[in-house]
């Protein structure tokens, strides 16, 4: 081992951190900056300086991180020295010291560790026995929080404590007494009692020469004290962490510990690692834009080592169901457009809370996509495995009431649940363990309050015999059985395999395989180096023997956060990963999805620290290497309206985000391959994998789908028409170009509406027309409504007709003028379709007026407008040009139906809309005398103006809008109807050129 070899693969900042001679060193390492590599190299460098491995403590936060560090150190230094390091999690290191020196603070030998289920079971019995109102889970969380913060009983200043506090104090005291009777320590006790040990007996760690702490930002107050006590002799400390990734506040993690360290060790040297080796430049810059909103953070930056890559995506979806569908489609599109570059192992869906996974799992299941849940049911928590472990706990630590109560009737011994609860209650009341009570009953030394049947006493005797026999086997020094042999003994005595077959017939094989896996792990544990938990001898301090293999195995199981499985080394088939953000810390994937990025999810509705929620989003974003997707539904899974997360709504974040998924062009694929250090996929593989995609772009889900639907329904409602259904949604009107063919128009409709071809020709609709569809279908659309929808897209093929209608005006959509699109050819009248001659319509004589003659036909876009009357007229076509043409005889009928539904534009509301490119002309009733000229009007004899100017649609609209008057045809009954249209005060006389006369009222005589 040489110093040059240790520093060879490090950048300048990492080399400075590894080779620093400072006694107290703080390494601020951002995500993807090589934190683990730096800490490993620092440990190897200290060993190269002559420090002994058993005098170095390296504390991590997960078993996986400890195992990875040990392997890396072994490769760097060799000679097996890594196994002599005091390396592990805070809890495992504390257990090691308590096992050797616990007798100094009255901790009994071979103490057990109460896991989460044990602690909760004890608290539940206390609450039930005392009839408290407090929730057991809440009580357990408060107890853990008090211990993690090193707090004592709450001080009320001499006042009487509230009932809730009194109940909690009693619950806390009885919980501690129950743990002591059972010789158990919970997870928080391991740290607290180790602090007590080192404070009262600092000589236990007088040999320690260096302390290294990983993930320092996640330490709580007790762990900070442990670090100081470990390093009390030499005060040589190295911490590695990133305050921006502190996300475990619910576990009492203290972000202020870095400031405490600087105050208590003022000579601390701080080195920042600012080169990111994980994420693309665009992902990193976006994440920094999010985290830099926190002005209280420690100022530092990150620089990418990869190319800029593709900008992250922030996708808006209509609802949570659409969000799940979009997520699935985008996973499929990424895989399809990338050939063999990506597989399911490269994708991760990170959730703020596990409850958000329901809809996503449902969509993945429908599509047959394999996925795995990170942080799901652990191997040791499976029923068949936990039962065997409870037998081992009872054999090694029989005073563990909860382990004993879970197996006393498993497999069945005809001991009822009521009897077990009564025995537990009697043991707690008598302040003894359940094992002591049962043993006294079997030996005839105790009489229970509950009358036990003879069969129950015999069953208890059989159970006690199994436990005592197993204890003799492991106590025999000459023929001590191994843990695997002890498990096999329990299986044989209880007929466990037969019991699994009888009670779990459908899954007994898988459960039995798990039991066999437990035996394999026990064998591996015993074959491993048994000196891993040893501590160096210290002069003047007595150590206890910690050679009990069963106790060490059970402690290893209790402290293991996960089991090394095939998934760690490559699963047999590719699987997408679903994980909470908390469980994903320290992991990375090429493609990351973060759904539910809305207020109430990120930040969470129950969170009290918005800065921590921001750090949580930062951690999630920096898990991505090449592609990052974020999404939020307009309506969440409960159907409630949601708003975008304020962390992503900040002005500085928006420029870094795309609204849709990336286009997988050649440059994009090269960037992804470069970041992942993988070969570029061949065109053949891309062509093959993309052949089954519905679309090669992210265009299957409109960005503002709900807004478009709402606008369409609102427009149809004001026009007096029934809104289109989902499969009949009318597109937003666009100006269309002349000369477009029908085939191109159909293609345009498909492109605008996705796979939903909303419009068909009249003949197609006529073929499916039935009377039942009129009378029974609630969403039937009238012919007038349908013709209007077709007319909005049509191209006027015949110009010059004297009677044209003015296009119904409406404000332009946000974003400026509309792009021209393809449209359908003009629709004739129904007479042409039926092969009859068109009737002659009598024309009304022109009114006598001094006004300029505005009754000229012009065109705006593709629409023929009657600038005088302001209504749309049908496009005339002949049978020669269109076989579906409608004869003129029915034109007036269709117009009447259309007039009934038109809602006139109101002048007071016009100013709220953006200005459009249409001309508004007056069609007020004629008045006597010369009209007053409008200063904004253009003179009729202005040079250069023609009757039908080609650029009329580009003329600036008038600032004054007059109310349009529509002359109504008289109905058969002779009455005059407006049906919602504002009528002229002049009535029918306006059509004859008469002057306007105000109405008069005749008084009755």
């Amino acid at each position: 081992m040489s110093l040059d070899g240790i520093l060879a693969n490090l950048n300048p900042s990492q080399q400075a951190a590894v080779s620093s001679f400072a006694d107290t060193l703080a390494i601020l390492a951002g995500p993807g900056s090589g934190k683990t590599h730096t800490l490993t190299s620092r440990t190897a460098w200290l060993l190269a300086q002559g420090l002994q491995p058993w005098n170095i403590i390296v504390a991590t936060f997960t078993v996986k991180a400890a195992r990875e560090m040990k392997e890396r150190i072994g490769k760097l230094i060799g000679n097996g020295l890594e196994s002599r390091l005091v390396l592990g999690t805070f809890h495992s290191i504390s257990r090691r010291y308590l096992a050797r020196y616990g007798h100094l603070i009255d901790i009994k030998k071979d103490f057990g560790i109460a896991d989460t289920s044990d602690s909760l079971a004890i608290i539940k019995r206390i609450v039930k026995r005392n009839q408290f109102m407090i929730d057991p889970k809440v009580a357990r969380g408060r107890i853990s929080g008090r211990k993690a913060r090193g707090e004592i009983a709450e001080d009320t200043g001499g006042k009487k404590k509230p009932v809730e506090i009194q109940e909690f104090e009693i619950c806390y005291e009885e919980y501690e007494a129950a743990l002591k009777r059972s010789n158990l320590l919970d997870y928080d006790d391991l740290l607290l009692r180790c602090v007590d040990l080192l404070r009262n007996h600092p000589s236990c760690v007088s040999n320690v020469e260096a302390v290294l702490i990983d993930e320092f930002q996640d330490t709580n107050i007790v762990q900070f004290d442990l670090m100081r006590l470990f390093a009390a002799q030499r005060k040589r400390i190295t911490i590695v962490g990133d305050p921006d990734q502190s996300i475990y506040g619910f576990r009492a993690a203290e972000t202020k510990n870095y400031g405490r360290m600087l105050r208590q060790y003022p000579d601390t040297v701080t080195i920042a690692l600012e080169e990111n080796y994980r994420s693309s430049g665009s992902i990193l810059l976006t994440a920094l834009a999010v985290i830099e909103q926190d002005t209280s953070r420690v100022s530092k930056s990150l620089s990418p080592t990869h190319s800029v890559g593709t900008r992250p995506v922030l996708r808006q979806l209509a609802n949570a169901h659409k969000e799940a569908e979009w997520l699935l489609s985008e996973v499929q599109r990424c895989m399809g457009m990338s050939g063999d570059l990506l597989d399911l192992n490269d994708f991760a869906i990170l959730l703020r809370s596990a409850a958000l996974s329901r809809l996503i799992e449902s969509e993945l299941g429908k599509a047959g996509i394999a996925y795995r849940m990170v942080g799901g049911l652990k191997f040791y928590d499976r029923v068949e495995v936990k039962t065997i472990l409870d037998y081992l706990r009872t054999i090694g630590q029989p005073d563990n009431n909860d382990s004993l109560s879970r197996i006393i009737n498993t497999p069945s011994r005809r001991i009822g649940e009521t009897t077990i609860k009564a025995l537990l209650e009697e043991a707690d009341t008598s302040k003894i363990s359940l094992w002591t009570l049962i043993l006294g009953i079997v030996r005839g030394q105790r009489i229970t309050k509950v009358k036990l049947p003879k069969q129950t006493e015999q069953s208890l005797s059989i159970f006690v015999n199994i436990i005592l026999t197993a204890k003799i086997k492991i106590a025999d020094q000459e023929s001590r059985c191994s843990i695997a042999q002890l498990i096999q003994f329990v299986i044989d005595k209880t007929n466990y395999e037969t019991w699994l077959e009888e009670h779990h017939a459908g899954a007994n094989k898988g459960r039995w395989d798990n039991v066999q896996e437990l035996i394999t792990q026990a064998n591996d544990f015993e074959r491993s180096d048994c000196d891993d938990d040893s501590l160096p001898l210290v002069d003047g301090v007595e150590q206890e023997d910690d050679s009990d293999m069963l106790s060490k195995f059970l402690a290893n199981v209790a402290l293991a956060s996960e089991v090394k499985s095939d998934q760690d080394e490559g699963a047999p088939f590719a699987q997408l990963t679903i994980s909470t953000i908390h469980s994903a810390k320290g992991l990375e994937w090429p493609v990351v999805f973060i759904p539910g990025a809305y207020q109430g999810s990120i930040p969470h509705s129950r969170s009290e620290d918005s800065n921590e929620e921001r750090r949580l989003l930062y951690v999630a974003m920096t898990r991505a290497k090449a592609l990052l997707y974020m999404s939020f539904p307009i309506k969440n899974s409960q159907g409630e309206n949601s708003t975008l997360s304020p962390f992503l709504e900040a002005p500085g974040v928006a420029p870094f985000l795309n609204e849709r998924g990336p286009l997988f062009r050649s440059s994009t694929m090269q960037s992804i391959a470069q970041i992942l250090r993988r070969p570029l996929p061949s065109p053949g593989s891309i062509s093959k994998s993309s052949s089954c995609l519905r679309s090669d772009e992210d265009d299957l889900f409109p960005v503002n789908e709900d807004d478009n639907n709402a606008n369409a329904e609102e427009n149809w409602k004001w026009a007096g028409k029934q809104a289109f259904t989902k499969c009949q949604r009318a597109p937003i009107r666009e100006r269309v170009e002349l000369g477009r063919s029908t085939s191109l128009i159909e293609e345009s409709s498909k492109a605008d509406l996705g796979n939903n071809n909303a419009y068909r020709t009249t003949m197609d609709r006529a073929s499916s027309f039935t009377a039942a569809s009129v009378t029974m279908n609630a969403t039937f659309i009238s012919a007038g409504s349908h013709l209007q929808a077709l007319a909005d897209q049509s191209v006027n093929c015949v110009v010059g007709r004297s009677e044209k209608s003015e296009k119904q005006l409406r404000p332009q959509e946000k974003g400026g003028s509309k792009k021209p699109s393809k449209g359908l050819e003009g629709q004739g009248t129904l007479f042409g379709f039926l092969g009859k001659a068109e009737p002659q319509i009598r024309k009304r004589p022109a009114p006598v007026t001094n006004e300029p003659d505005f009754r000229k036909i012009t065109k705006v876009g593709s629409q023929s407008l009657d600038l005088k009357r302001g209504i749309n007229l049908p496009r005339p076509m002949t049978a020669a040009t269109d076989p579906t043409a409608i004869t003129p005889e029915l034109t007036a009928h269709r117009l009447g139906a259309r007039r009934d539904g038109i809602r006139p534009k109101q002048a007071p509301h016009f100013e709220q809309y953006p200005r459009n490119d249409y001309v508004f002309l007056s069609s007020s009733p004629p008045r006597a005398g010369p009209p007053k000229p409008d200063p904004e009007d253009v003179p009729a004899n202005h040079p250069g103006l023609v009757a039908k100017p080609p650029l009329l649609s580009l003329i600036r609209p008038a600032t004054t809008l007059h109310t349009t008057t529509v002359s109504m045809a008289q109905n058969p009954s002779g009455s005059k109807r407006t049906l919602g249209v504002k009528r002229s005060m002049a009535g029918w006389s306006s059509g004859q050129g008469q002057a306007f006369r105000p109405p008069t009222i005749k008084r009755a005589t």
Side-chain angles (χ1 to χ4, degrees):
M1 178 183 58
S2 64
L3 295 178
D4 293 337
I6 295 174
L7 303 176
N9 297 321
L10 304 175
N11 62 40
S13 298
Q14 291 172 336
Q15 289 180 0
V18 168
S19 60
S20 174
F21 285 94
D23 285 337
T24 52
L25 175 65
I27 304 174
L28 300 183
S33 60
K35 164 184 68 70
T36 304
H37 185 35
T38 302
L39 185 60
T40 300
S41 301
R42 174 71 172 173
T43 305
W45 188 84
L46 291 175
L47 291 173
Q49 298 300 313
L51 275 65
Q52 299 300 321
W54 49 83
N55 294 334
I56 297 177
I57 295 178
V58 183
T60 65
F61 269 82
T62 65
V63 175
K64 181 179 179 181
R67 184 171 59 238
E68 182 180 353
M69 285 193 63
K70 184 175 292 187
E71 293 174 355
R72 292 192 182 189
I73 294 172
K75 294 177 181 178
L76 279 176
I77 62 178
N79 301 327
L81 293 178
E82 73 278 1
S83 62
R84 306 298 301 276
L85 289 166
V86 184
L87 190 155
T89 64
F90 271 102
H91 293 88
S92 65
I93 294 173
S94 298
R95 192 213 70 85
R96 192 183 305 188
Y97 274 92
L98 291 176
R100 296 288 182 176
Y101 302 108
H103 63 279
L104 299 176
I105 55 173
D106 298 326
I107 294 180
K108 297 179 181 178
K109 183 181 178 181
D110 299 334
F111 61 87
I113 299 176
D115 58 18
T116 303
S117 59
D118 293 334
S119 298
L120 187 59
I122 294 172
I123 295 174
K124 284 181 177 179
R125 290 199 300 272
I126 295 172
V127 170
K128 184 177 180 180
R129 181 169 60 252
N130 295 280
Q131 297 182 349
F132 289 158
M133 298 299 294
I134 190 171
D135 184 0
K137 291 184 178 179
V138 173
R140 179 185 169 276
R142 291 180 61 181
I143 291 173
S144 179
R146 173 184 287 191
K147 291 183 177 181
R149 297 179 179 90
E151 298 174 354
I152 57 176
E154 300 180 25
D155 185 11
T156 58
K159 299 180 181 179
K160 185 178 180 180
K161 297 180 180 180
V163 175
E164 181 184 0
I165 295 180
Q166 294 180 26
E167 290 184 356
F168 174 72
E169 294 294 343
I170 297 173
C171 185
Y172 183 86
E173 294 174 0
E174 293 193 13
Y175 171 75
E176 290 296 299
L179 290 179
K180 187 173 183 180
R181 286 195 302 271
S182 300
N183 193 23
L184 295 174
L185 299 177
D186 62 17
Y187 293 133
D188 298 299
D189 286 333
L190 290 175
L191 304 180
L192 278 174
R193 300 311 300 275
C194 190
V195 168
D196 294 340
L197 170 66
L198 300 183
R199 279 178 178 167
N200 297 318
H201 304 275
S203 56
C204 296
V205 290
S206 59
N207 65 299
V208 176
E209 298 178 299
V211 177
L212 297 94
I213 308 295
D214 189 19
E215 303 287 3
F216 182 74
Q217 76 277 354
D218 295 330
T219 55
N220 56 33
I221 294 295
V222 177
Q223 289 163 337
F224 182 81
D225 289 341
L226 267 179
M227 177 197 72
R228 293 176 53 248
L229 293 170
F230 284 146
Q233 187 69 23
R234 307 292 174 88
K235 293 182 174 57
R236 185 177 291 164
I237 302 172
T238 298
I239 66 166
V240 179
D242 180 14
D244 290 337
Q245 298 186 69
S246 178
I247 60 175
Y248 292 110
F250 65 95
R251 296 180 184 172
E254 283 283 346
T255 56
K256 298 179 181 179
N257 278 348
Y258 175 68
R260 290 189 179 96
M261 180 175 178
L262 296 182
R263 289 193 299 269
Q264 297 193 19
Y265 302 94
D267 296 331
T268 300
V269 174
T270 299
I271 298 177
L273 307 183
E274 297 183 339
E275 292 187 55
N276 180 277
Y277 294 94
R278 175 187 298 159
S279 304
S280 67
S282 59
I283 293 176
L284 196 61
L285 291 175
T286 309
L288 287 174
V290 170
I291 197 61
E292 286 174 353
Q293 299 168 23
D294 182 5
T295 57
S296 63
R297 63 185 285 270
V298 178
S299 179
K300 65 181 187 305
S301 182
L302 282 174
S303 58
T305 58
H306 293 300
S307 60
V308 175
T310 303
R311 287 196 297 177
V313 176
L314 178 59
R315 194 66 155 82
Q316 175 180 311
L317 284 307
N319 51 57
H321 291 273
K322 291 292 183 183
E323 183 182 38
E325 293 176 8
W326 166 81
L327 193 150
L328 170 63
S329 68
E330 199 63 14
V331 169
Q332 293 172 332
R333 190 174 74 92
C334 288
M335 295 182 61
M337 298 302 297
S338 62
D340 54 1
L341 182 63
L342 299 173
D343 62 16
L344 284 178
N345 287 329
D346 298 323
F347 292 83
I349 301 173
L350 306 185
L351 310 172
R352 173 58 182 88
S353 59
L356 295 174
S357 69
R358 181 179 60 85
L359 295 176
I360 297 174
E361 288 188 72
S362 176
E363 290 298 324
L364 294 176
K366 292 177 185 177
I369 292 182
Y371 64 92
R372 59 172 169 259
M373 295 290 295
V374 174
L377 188 62
K378 299 177 184 177
F379 174 78
Y380 295 130
D381 289 337
R382 295 172 183 173
V383 175
E384 63 278 5
V385 175
K386 192 173 183 62
T387 299
I388 298 297
L389 291 175
D390 282 335
Y391 270 99
L392 298 182
R393 289 190 181 102
T394 304
I395 293 170
Q397 301 135 10
D399 291 330
N400 189 333
N401 287 357
D402 295 285
S403 296
L404 177 57
S405 63
R406 286 193 291 263
I407 63 170
I408 194 172
N409 194 43
T410 304
S412 177
R413 298 183 179 89
R414 298 183 180 275
I415 304 175
E417 192 71 23
T418 304
T419 302
I420 297 174
K421 291 181 179 179
L423 293 175
L424 265 173
E425 185 65 27
E426 183 173 347
D428 288 339
T429 305
S430 303
K431 307 298 182 184
I432 59 175
S433 66
L434 180 60
W435 170 254
T436 303
L437 177 62
I438 293 176
L439 193 60
I441 293 172
V442 171
R443 292 177 176 176
Q445 299 173 351
R446 296 187 68 92
I447 299 177
T448 61
K449 299 177 182 179
V450 180
K451 183 174 179 60
L452 298 178
K454 191 69 173 178
Q455 183 180 3
T456 301
E457 292 183 358
Q458 293 176 354
S459 298
L460 290 176
S461 179
I462 294 173
F463 173 75
V464 169
N465 183 59
I466 293 175
I467 301 302
L468 292 177
T469 305
K471 290 180 71 68
I472 293 173
K473 284 181 173 293
I474 62 173
D476 191 355
Q477 298 293 334
E478 297 182 356
S479 60
R480 177 186 296 178
C481 68
S482 64
I483 300 175
Q485 291 173 340
L486 190 62
I487 295 175
Q488 192 60 52
F489 169 79
V490 172
I491 291 173
D492 295 339
K493 286 294 183 180
T494 59
N495 295 320
Y496 197 60
E497 184 176 6
T498 303
W499 182 81
L500 286 177
E501 292 177 357
E502 293 176 353
H503 290 77
H504 304 281
N508 64 299
K509 185 180 184 304
R511 294 180 183 272
W512 181 247
D513 289 342
N514 290 333
V515 174
Q516 296 300 313
E517 174 64 22
L518 179 63
I519 296 175
T520 301
Q521 290 185 21
N523 283 324
D524 293 341
F525 180 82
E526 289 189 288
R527 282 197 299 266
S528 63
D529 190 358
C530 297
D531 295 331
D532 282 354
D533 290 344
S534 62
L535 293 173
L537 295 174
V538 178
D539 293 339
V541 183
E542 180 185 358
Q543 280 192 9
E544 281 191 340
D545 182 25
D546 188 26
S547 59
D548 186 355
M549 192 61 63
L550 179 59
S551 297
K552 294 167 71 173
F553 175 73
L554 293 174
N556 180 75
V557 168
L559 297 174
S561 58
E562 75 280 326
V563 181
K564 187 175 181 180
S565 62
D566 293 338
Q567 290 183 0
D568 299 329
E569 300 173 355
F573 54 90
Q575 293 176 309
L576 180 145
T577 301
I578 301 178
S579 172
T580 61
I581 301 175
H582 288 97
S583 299
K585 189 169 181 294
L587 304 176
E588 58 185 27
W589 292 272
V591 185
V592 168
F593 289 83
I594 308 174
Y598 57 85
Q599 177 78 39
S601 175
I602 304 177
H604 198 274
S605 58
R606 293 194 299 270
S607 174
E608 298 178 356
D609 188 351
S610 62
N611 288 331
E612 180 168 326
E613 292 293 304
R614 184 184 292 106
R615 293 193 294 267
L616 196 63
L617 178 59
Y618 174 74
V619 168
M621 296 172 69
T622 53
R623 300 308 96 193
K625 294 182 179 180
L627 296 177
L628 173 62
Y629 292 85
M630 295 175 286
S631 61
F632 76 100
I634 298 176
K635 291 185 179 295
N636 58 25
S637 57
Q638 284 78 36
E640 302 170 346
N641 291 331
S642 62
T643 58
L644 179 62
S645 170
F647 309 141
L648 298 174
E649 203 173 17
V653 180
F656 297 101
L657 300 172
N658 279 333
E659 288 186 350
R660 294 182 182 271
L663 298 175
F664 288 91
R665 299 189 178 96
S666 174
S667 58
T668 305
M669 299 308 303
Q670 291 177 0
S671 174
I672 295 175
Q674 178 186 4
I675 294 172
L676 301 182
R677 294 183 175 87
R678 298 177 183 177
L680 196 66
S682 63
S685 65
I686 295 178
S687 177
K688 181 179 179 181
S689 61
S690 62
S691 60
C692 297
L693 292 178
R694 294 172 58 192
S695 174
D696 57 0
E697 298 182 13
D698 182 11
D699 57 0
L700 299 179
F701 299 85
V703 175
N704 295 314
E705 181 178 5
D706 272 11
D707 292 341
N708 290 346
N709 289 341
N711 290 339
E713 291 182 7
E714 188 71 12
N715 293 336
W716 279 100
K717 180 181 71 175
W718 285 116
K721 308 299 180 183
Q722 185 175 2
F724 278 76
T725 62
K726 179 180 179 182
C727 296
Q728 297 171 321
R729 185 174 69 243
I732 298 176
R733 298 184 209 171
E734 298 178 350
R735 284 208 307 266
V736 294
E737 299 177 2
L738 296 174
R740 296 290 186 180
S741 66
T742 305
S743 61
L744 292 177
I745 294 166
E746 292 176 354
E747 294 176 5
S748 175
S749 299
K750 292 180 181 178
D752 293 337
L753 301 177
N755 294 329
N756 181 18
N757 192 5
Y759 291 97
R760 299 177 293 172
T761 64
T762 304
M763 290 299 295
D764 291 336
R765 290 184 179 272
S767 64
S768 60
F769 181 84
T770 62
S773 65
V774 178
T775 58
M776 298 179 64
N777 190 355
T779 59
F780 170 73
I781 300 174
S782 65
S785 301
H786 176 59
L787 290 174
Q788 181 183 2
L790 292 177
D792 290 339
Q793 294 183 348
S794 65
V795 176
N796 186 13
C797 299
V798 180
V799 295
R801 185 173 179 174
S802 61
E803 290 284 326
K804 297 291 181 180
S805 62
E806 181 181 5
K807 181 180 179 181
Q808 189 177 11
L809 299 177
R810 74 171 186 179
Q812 288 181 334
E813 294 292 332
K814 184 179 180 181
S817 61
K818 298 181 181 179
K819 299 179 181 179
S821 64
K822 295 163 274 191
L824 293 170
E825 293 187 359
Q827 174 70 45
T829 63
L830 186 60
F831 280 93
F833 174 75
L834 298 176
K836 297 182 180 181
E838 301 230 10
Q840 298 296 326
I841 302 177
R842 182 175 61 85
K843 297 184 178 180
R844 192 181 300 114
V848 179
T849 178
N850 295 328
E851 293 181 23
D853 186 10
F854 290 114
R855 198 175 181 83
K856 295 181 180 180
I857 307 301
T858 185
K859 297 180 67 178
V860 178
S862 65
Q863 300 294 323
S864 298
L865 305 179
D866 186 337
L867 301 183
K868 183 66 177 177
R869 301 177 66 181
I871 56 175
N872 291 339
L873 294 178
R875 278 69 175 175
M877 295 192 69
T878 63
T881 59
D882 186 4
T884 63
I886 300 176
T887 58
E889 285 81 354
L890 295 183
T891 303
H893 296 281
R894 183 154 54 87
L895 284 175
R898 292 228 34 231
R899 289 196 198 103
D900 293 346
I902 297 178
R903 183 183 179 94
K905 301 291 183 180
Q906 300 296 326
H909 301 289
F910 176 72
E911 295 179 356
Q912 64 181 331
Y913 297 107
R915 187 167 58 201
N916 56 36
D917 295 333
Y918 296 101
V919 178
F920 293 86
L921 299 178
S922 172
S923 60
S924 301
R927 302 176 184 273
K932 295 181 180 180
D934 193 329
E936 295 294 329
D937 290 337
V938 180
N941 58 353
H942 193 281
L945 289 182
V946 295
K948 292 180 287 185
L951 299 180
L952 185 59
S953 62
L954 301 180
I955 298 176
R956 181 175 179 178
T959 57
T960 304
L961 179 66
H962 299 284
T963 303
T964 302
T965 302
V966 181
S967 299
M968 305 299 296
Q970 186 173 2
N971 59 11
S973 63
S975 62
K976 301 175 183 179
R977 298 181 300 173
T978 62
L979 297 181
V981 180
K982 185 176 180 181
R983 294 173 51 188
S984 168
M985 295 299 296
W988 295 101
S989 62
S990 63
Q992 305 299 328
Q994 300 177 5
F996 170 73
R997 297 178 182 177
T1000 60
I1001 302 176
K1002 294 183 179 180
R1003 299 181 178 272
T1005 57

